[in-house]
């Protein structure tokens, strides 16, 4: 066989091994890819340089050494070496790999409650980009359609509350991110809505899952909760095994999680206790950036309160991994491995923006504006993602400085 010019794929078939086809950007049950190319390409997010110019010839199969493996530790990799005239070219193949960068071979159908919020929007975009079908379960169709217009998101369908049952029935998985914002002035009515919006929605979703015929019942339920479960402390360190606190937010989280725990025992449940999510499009950081840009930035209150944060991309990856990885079940803290004091976070943000962090907001001013809701920003907790680390989750942004720099770049 003569030399194959230009950029082309040549396949040698061996049964039962999965390989990536750059030409069609998907995985298949073929065994081996020989790439005639002078280009680079990606295998599940890992860049591989391929400089190949050769003819099909005698081939030898071998395993590679650990030092050669550019893939994450949990991948099962081998290499195929083709030799001719003393030239060796190596091709990478895999038969098992699961990480936050991986894509399951099968299309999923995922129902997302709270899909138009800061986190939900990013998650739906990720699912859509990986070619999964998504139902955005909402109470306001017009808002959801403005976020996910059909021309840009052909595999995203918007469903209002009367349609939720039919969407959940037959879904591969359900993700629940719904809940009224707590970053507001608390009145008795607001506090009631904060609690009921979470518990009522979660209970309804659980009823729809449990009421589905067994053959149509979702296999996975990922439900958000919050690090407020642990209460507030300046001295304690919390992980998934820590007991709940005894304040209002801890009470909300306990009842929120209890509603999710009512799901059928055959459905794998992952409860993600989410910390303060950092991103430019929403959350606490989006409110802080304009103040710093106007030279009015600084810590809230004493600045000594713990700030257990996570970059929005890491949180989306964590939720995505919980969908596809059967090891992800039970409580998992959605926080970065290195929480900081709020004053340090503000110093880092000011440094990256080229602005001083010099104007602290006193407690009395926050209490005048937010009332009892000031508790959310004046108190904190040091929370560690022990379970995620045990599972080998690869945080892209373990340090707040790197996270802020990436967000502001």
């Amino acid at each position: 066989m003569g030399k194959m010019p230009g950029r082309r794929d040549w396949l040698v078939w061996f049964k039962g091994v999965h390989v990536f086809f750059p030409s069609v950007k998907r995985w298949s049950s073929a065994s081996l890819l020989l790439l005639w190319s002078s280009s680079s390409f990606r295998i599940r997010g890992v860049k591989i340089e391929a400089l190949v110019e050769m003819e099909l010839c005698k081939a030898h199969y071998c395993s590679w050494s650990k030092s050669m493996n550019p893939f994450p530790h949990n991948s099962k990799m081998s290499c195929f070496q083709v030799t001719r005239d003393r030239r060796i070219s190596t091709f990478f193949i895999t038969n098992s790999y699961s990480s936050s960068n991986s894509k399951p071979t099968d299309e999923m159908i995922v129902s997302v409650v709270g899909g138009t919020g800061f986190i939900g929007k990013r998650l739906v975009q990720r699912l859509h980009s990986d070619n999964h079908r998504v139902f955005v379960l909402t109470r306001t169709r017009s808002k959801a359609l403005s976020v996910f217009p059909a021309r840009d998101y052909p595999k995203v369908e918007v469903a209002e509350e009367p349609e939720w049952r039919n969407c959940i029935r037959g879904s591969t998985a359900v993700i629940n991110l719904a809940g009224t914002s707590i970053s507001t002035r608390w009145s008795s009515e607001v506090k009631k809505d904060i609690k009921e919006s979470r518990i009522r929605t979660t209970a309804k979703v659980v009823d729809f899952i449990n009421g589905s015929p067994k053959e149509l019942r979702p296999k996975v339920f990922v439900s958000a909760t919050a690090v407020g479960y642990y209460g507030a402390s300046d001295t304690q360190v919390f992980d998934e095994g820590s007991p709940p606190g005894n304040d209002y937010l801890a009470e909300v989280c306990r009842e929120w999680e209890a509603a999710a725990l009512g799901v059928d025992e055959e459905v794998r449940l992952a409860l993600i206790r989410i910390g303060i999510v950092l991103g430019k499009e929403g959350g606490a950081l989006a409110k802080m950036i304009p103040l710093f840009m106007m030279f009015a930035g600084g810590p809230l209150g004493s600045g000594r309160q713990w700030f257990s944060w996570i970059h929005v991309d890491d949180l989306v990856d964590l939720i995505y991994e919980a969908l596809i990885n059967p090891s992800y079940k039970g409580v998992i803290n959605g926080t970065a491995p290195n929480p900081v004091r709020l004053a340090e976070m503000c110093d880092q943000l000011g440094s990256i923006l080229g602005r001083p962090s010099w104007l602290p907001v006193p407690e009395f001013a926050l209490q005048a504006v937010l009332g009892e809701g000031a508790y959310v920003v004046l108190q904190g907790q040091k929370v560690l993602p022990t379970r995620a680390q045990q599972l080998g989750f690869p945080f892209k942004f373990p340090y707040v400085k790197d996270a802020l720099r990436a967000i502001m770049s």
Side-chain angles (χ1 to χ4, degrees):
M1 182 177 291
K3 189 183 295 182
M4 305 296 289
R7 297 186 179 188
R8 296 187 58 179
D9 297 337
W10 185 262
L11 307 179
V12 178
W13 301 87
F14 290 85
K15 186 176 180 181
V17 182
H18 288 74
V19 297
F20 183 79
F21 291 78
S23 59
V24 294
K25 298 182 179 178
R26 66 180 177 85
W27 289 77
S28 176
S29 57
S31 261
L32 182 65
L33 170 66
L34 303 187
L35 180 71
W36 270 264
S37 174
S38 57
S39 64
S40 65
F41 59 99
R42 288 182 179 272
I43 296 182
R44 293 199 171 187
V46 181
K47 188 174 183 182
I48 305 297
E49 297 292 338
L51 299 172
V52 183
E53 196 172 278
M54 59 189 302
E55 296 177 2
L56 191 63
C57 52
K58 185 178 180 180
H60 302 279
Y61 178 84
C62 67
S63 296
W64 61 19
S65 67
K66 186 174 181 181
S67 62
M68 290 176 60
N69 191 347
F71 292 84
H73 65 87
N74 57 340
S75 57
K76 296 178 181 177
M77 295 288 171
S78 56
C79 70
F80 193 94
Q81 292 188 337
V82 182
T83 63
R84 180 177 184 271
D85 298 334
R86 298 181 181 177
R87 290 180 295 177
I88 299 177
S89 293
T90 303
F91 303 90
F92 304 106
I93 61 177
T94 176
N95 60 6
S96 177
Y97 178 40
S98 175
S99 84
S100 58
N101 292 323
S102 64
K103 299 179 185 179
T105 53
D106 297 329
E107 177 192 57
M108 292 189 292
I109 302 172
V110 184
S111 290
V112 181
V113 187
T116 59
F118 170 40
I119 302 164
K121 180 179 177 180
R122 294 288 287 268
L123 179 63
V124 171
Q125 289 171 339
R126 167 74 186 277
L127 290 165
H128 183 266
S129 69
D130 283 357
N131 207 35
H132 299 299
R133 186 180 175 192
V134 183
F135 290 115
V136 174
L137 308 187
T138 182
R139 290 189 174 89
T140 312
R141 180 184 297 273
S142 58
K143 178 183 177 181
L145 288 174
S146 68
V147 175
F148 303 110
R151 66 180 180 279
D152 298 327
Y153 296 91
K155 301 197 75 171
V156 173
E157 298 181 42
V158 173
E160 290 189 304
E161 210 160 346
E163 306 168 278
W164 288 14
R165 184 193 303 271
N166 290 335
C167 294
I168 288 172
R169 184 176 295 184
S171 289
T172 312
V174 178
I175 300 171
N176 175 31
L177 301 171
T180 298
S181 173
I182 63 173
S183 299
T184 185
R185 185 178 182 86
W186 291 359
S187 63
S188 57
E189 291 182 358
V190 168
K191 289 175 67 175
K192 180 179 178 182
D193 190 46
I194 286 172
K195 181 188 285 191
E196 289 189 354
S197 65
R198 287 162 171 78
I199 298 168
R200 185 177 58 245
T201 301
T202 302
K204 179 176 290 188
V205 169
V206 166
D207 286 345
F208 290 157
I209 293 173
N210 293 347
S212 299
K214 190 170 183 179
E215 64 276 10
L216 297 176
R217 189 175 297 153
K219 301 295 188 292
V220 184
F221 180 37
V222 181
S223 194
T225 172
V227 296
Y229 174 92
Y230 303 110
S233 175
D234 284 337
T235 57
Q236 287 182 271
V237 180
F238 302 100
D239 65 11
E240 289 85 352
S242 300
N246 54 16
D247 57 24
Y248 166 71
L249 289 180
E251 177 187 318
V252 170
C253 292
R254 286 197 307 271
E255 295 186 29
W256 193 4
E257 292 183 14
L261 287 165
V263 76
D264 188 278
E265 62 181 11
E266 293 186 8
V267 177
R268 179 167 59 84
L269 172 64
L271 288 166
I272 312 296
R273 288 182 184 153
I274 300 173
I276 300 167
V277 185
L278 300 184
K280 195 181 290 186
E281 297 85 9
L285 189 62
K287 297 176 182 178
M288 296 173 71
I289 290 171
L291 295 174
F292 274 83
M293 294 306 293
M294 294 186 294
F295 294 87
L300 306 176
S302 69
R304 293 287 301 160
Q305 62 269 47
W306 281 103
F307 190 80
S308 294
W309 61 276
I310 186 169
H311 190 291
V312 64
D313 288 350
D314 274 337
L315 180 58
V316 168
D317 285 349
L318 183 67
I319 295 171
Y320 194 100
E321 190 72 12
L323 287 179
I324 65 175
N325 190 329
S327 298
Y328 282 62
K329 53 189 174 183
V331 175
I332 302 170
N333 286 336
T335 60
N338 298 287
V340 295
R341 302 280 186 177
L342 181 59
E344 180 183 342
M345 200 284 296
C346 291
D347 286 343
Q348 296 285 5
L349 178 59
S351 175
I352 290 167
L353 293 175
R355 299 290 192 273
S357 176
W358 66 280
L359 193 62
V361 181
E363 290 189 20
F364 74 84
L366 286 167
Q367 290 168 343
V369 173
L370 297 176
E372 193 179 350
Y375 177 87
V376 176
V377 293
L378 293 174
Q379 303 294 325
Q381 55 278 109
K382 185 178 183 180
V383 180
L384 301 180
T386 302
R387 183 64 182 138
Q389 291 181 305
Q390 290 172 344
L391 290 164
F393 179 77
F395 286 92
K396 294 176 185 175
F397 304 101
Y399 297 100
V400 73
K401 182 176 182 179
D402 296 332
L404 292 171
R405 184 179 290 117
I407 290 167
M408 299 311 303
S409 62

